[in-house]
Amino acid sequence: MKTWLSNQWDHLRGTFWFVPLLMVAGAVALSLLMLSLDRAAAGSGIELSPPWTFTRGPEGSRAVLATAAGSMITIASVCFSITVVALQQASSQFGPRLLHNFMRDRGNQVVLGTFIAGFTYCLLVLRTVNGTEDGRFVPHLSVTVGLHLALAGVAVLIYFIHHAATSIQAEYVIAGVSRDLHDALGRLFPTKLGGGPDGPSP
């Protein structure tokens, strides 16, 4: 039973959607938290505009959030499309396992999750920006967090380009195969070879 659960968890962890889905859920929770803070501050009359916040009006906030959301989803689609093409060409030399390793790589999953989570966060905050005369509401803290998520997307983009270029090298592929082999042996044969089980035998 323990081996089956370990295999199922390893399979789930190796899928390309599990980690990004968790990060999107975190982005939804973060947007709700930040918007509640902004609404609480607006209801109490507190002006949340320290020097590090984005203090533009409704139009500027909408422009920043729309630009951040559009750029992150565009960069994610272009980068991963180009990378998959490069991996398909490299897999003709190293075999189809290269694509499998790319999907299982935790760094690639986190990069995709960062872009999609940032896109989701910006969309959820964008829908709350109100510039009408009846009810003017600009979530300064939420917009500032969205701007920081966009900057984080730039950082993970630089990492992803370097990581993708490294992952198609021969020594990296061989090291990944060796690591997977040792992990599989550890799951199938938890007892060390050449040694008996712990405790008295029945």
Side-chain angles (χ1 to χ4, degrees):
M1 183 65 179
K2 183 178 180 180
T3 303
W4 182 82
L5 291 176
S6 177
N7 291 333
Q8 293 300 317
W9 170 248
D10 184 70
H11 173 72
L12 183 64
R13 187 172 54 90
T15 56
F16 207 44
W17 55 266
F18 181 66
V19 173
L21 182 62
L22 291 180
M23 297 181 69
V24 168
V28 173
L30 179 62
S31 66
L32 295 177
L33 175 63
M34 299 307 300
L35 288 173
S36 64
L37 290 177
D38 280 314
R39 289 193 179 97
S44 60
I46 301 175
E47 184 67 24
L48 291 178
S49 57
W52 50 270
T53 58
F54 185 83
T55 56
R56 299 283 182 178
E59 294 78 9
S61 299
R62 290 194 191 98
V64 168
L65 292 173
T67 302
S71 61
M72 279 190 281
I73 198 65
T74 302
I75 291 174
S77 60
V78 172
C79 286
F80 279 86
S81 299
I82 296 175
T83 304
V84 168
V85 172
L87 287 172
Q88 287 178 348
Q89 295 179 354
S91 63
S92 61
Q93 299 179 357
F94 301 112
R97 186 175 181 82
L98 189 62
L99 290 174
H100 178 69
N101 291 341
F102 175 80
M103 294 180 61
R104 287 174 52 88
D105 189 270
R106 183 59 55 85
N108 296 330
Q109 296 173 2
V110 170
V111 169
L112 179 62
T114 301
F115 287 129
I116 298 179
F119 171 76
T120 305
Y121 176 89
C122 291
L123 282 186
L124 294 177
V125 175
L126 179 61
R127 67 182 178 84
T128 64
V129 179
N130 189 5
T132 61
E133 296 180 357
D134 297 335
R136 177 187 174 94
F137 176 68
V138 179
H140 296 290
L141 286 179
S142 302
V143 175
T144 303
V145 172
L147 186 60
H148 290 167
L149 288 177
L151 296 178
V154 176
V156 298
L157 173 63
I158 297 173
Y159 163 79
F160 177 72
I161 294 174
H162 171 75
H163 185 66
T166 305
S167 63
I168 60 177
Q169 297 179 9
E171 57 270 18
Y172 185 89
V173 176
I174 296 173
V177 172
S178 175
R179 184 170 56 252
D180 291 343
L181 177 61
H182 283 85
D183 293 341
L185 290 176
R187 291 194 308 270
L188 295 176
F189 304 102
T191 304
K192 293 183 179 179
L193 295 178
D198 297 335
S201 59

